[in-house]
Amino acid sequence: MTRETRTVPAPAPSAEHAPFVIHGYEEVVTHDTSWNAHAHPWDELLWNERGASMAVVGARAWTITPTLGLWMPAGTLHSGSAVAGTWFRAGFFGRATTPSLSDVPVAVEITPLLRLLLERLGESGLTAGSRASTEAMILDVLTPSHRELLVQVPTSPLLRPIADAVRENPADRRTLTHWAAELGVSPRTVTRAFNAETGTSFARWVAGVRAQHAVALLTRGWEVDVVAEEVGYRSASAFGAAFRRTTGMTPGAFRAR
């Protein structure tokens, strides 16, 4: 499949002080698309109307879906990618006129209310008063989410073989004990290393990698039961439960979008 690589131009020095509150942008990508590492002079809220995209900051990779968005603070160097067919949306928040939700990237749940308000800003003929009211309501309901589809990729010599193998093949069913034996260390050593490098357990890290991979396959139109097998689940029901816990949507509902 054709992949398109884009370079985001550097903004003008005066862009940081542009007197807007919220400016929206949307696009449907027709090819798998990636964006170079770049930073914006404004805070950015990323979410999708349909499909899957990813934002990467250092060793952290967030998957963005129709229900899980991402707040990217101004000045944060990040790269991105989107699966062909993804309808992505972005809202830029003027630093000169609005307070920042967070100084670090955080997930944002795209609730029906928040989605409705963001979409309203794109309506033609919106009066200045209505726009100001809508922007105020967006700022009022915009809050970080406790859920996020985030994978912190370990880079140490000990964990890198595990990370590379699981990301290459999420269906890899080797347990922590199996990996410890292969690497010649104790399971406790691997457990401690995962907690130290990723902030989570080996099992939860694997579940996150599987969820990210599943989102991309569902966006491409793969059947749910095929995706379940592809990412290492023994049944579609087990996959569905795990997917919903992570993304807030069933695999079928996500695929239907």
Side-chain angles (χ1 to χ4, degrees):
M1 181 175 291
T2 303
R3 171 171 287 277
E4 180 180 348
T5 301
R6 301 185 188 180
T7 298
V8 179
S14 60
E16 179 182 354
H17 305 291
F20 68 89
V21 179
I22 304 174
H23 175 72
Y25 176 80
E26 62 182 283
E27 181 183 350
V28 177
V29 294
T30 55
H31 304 287
D32 286 357
T33 303
S34 59
W35 289 265
N36 68 313
H38 61 280
H40 302 289
W42 324 283
D43 294 327
E44 181 183 23
L45 176 63
L46 295 159
W47 79 103
N48 296 331
E49 191 69 33
R50 178 182 69 240
S53 56
M54 183 175 289
V56 178
V57 177
R60 295 172 294 166
W62 285 265
T63 290
I64 300 161
T65 73
T67 57
L68 280 175
L70 181 67
W71 179 267
M72 188 66 67
T76 302
L77 188 67
H78 62 284
S79 57
S81 61
V83 177
T86 295
W87 178 358
F88 77 87
R89 307 187 71 169
F92 295 99
F93 291 68
R95 295 283 283 188
T97 56
T98 59
S100 182
L101 176 67
S102 172
D103 291 332
V104 296
V106 292
V108 173
E109 186 168 358
I110 306 300
T111 63
L113 175 58
L114 179 56
R115 180 183 299 277
L116 183 66
L117 292 170
L118 289 165
E119 289 176 348
R120 187 168 190 247
L121 292 182
E123 294 179 1
S124 60
L126 197 64
T127 66
S130 294
R131 183 175 187 85
S133 297
T134 304
E135 290 171 335
M137 286 188 284
I138 289 172
L139 295 173
D140 185 52
V141 303
L142 192 63
T143 56
S145 172
H146 67 280
R147 287 189 301 111
E148 59 182 354
L149 194 40
L150 166 65
V151 170
Q152 174 97 18
V153 182
T155 58
S156 69
L158 174 64
L159 299 185
R160 192 57 189 260
I162 304 176
D164 289 346
V166 175
R167 295 180 77 205
E168 178 68 25
N169 176 23
D172 191 322
R173 290 198 175 99
R174 279 175 285 185
T175 65
L176 185 148
T177 302
H178 289 149
W179 275 113
E182 287 191 27
L183 296 171
V185 297
S186 70
R188 192 171 185 178
T189 296
V190 178
T191 297
R192 286 176 171 173
F194 254 99
N195 286 332
E197 283 198 57
T198 71
T200 191
S201 67
F202 169 75
R204 288 185 176 179
W205 185 85
V206 171
V209 172
R210 288 176 170 178
Q212 288 192 336
H213 194 64
V215 162
L217 296 179
L218 291 167
T219 297
R220 298 188 191 281
W222 287 38
E223 296 292 341
V224 172
D225 56 344
V226 177
V227 174
E229 182 177 356
E230 182 72 14
V231 299
Y233 288 92
R234 299 185 186 277
S235 69
S237 59
F239 165 59
F243 189 87
R244 185 165 189 172
R245 281 195 302 272
T246 305
T247 67
M249 299 177 72
T250 66
F254 182 89
R255 184 176 181 275
R257 295 187 73 104

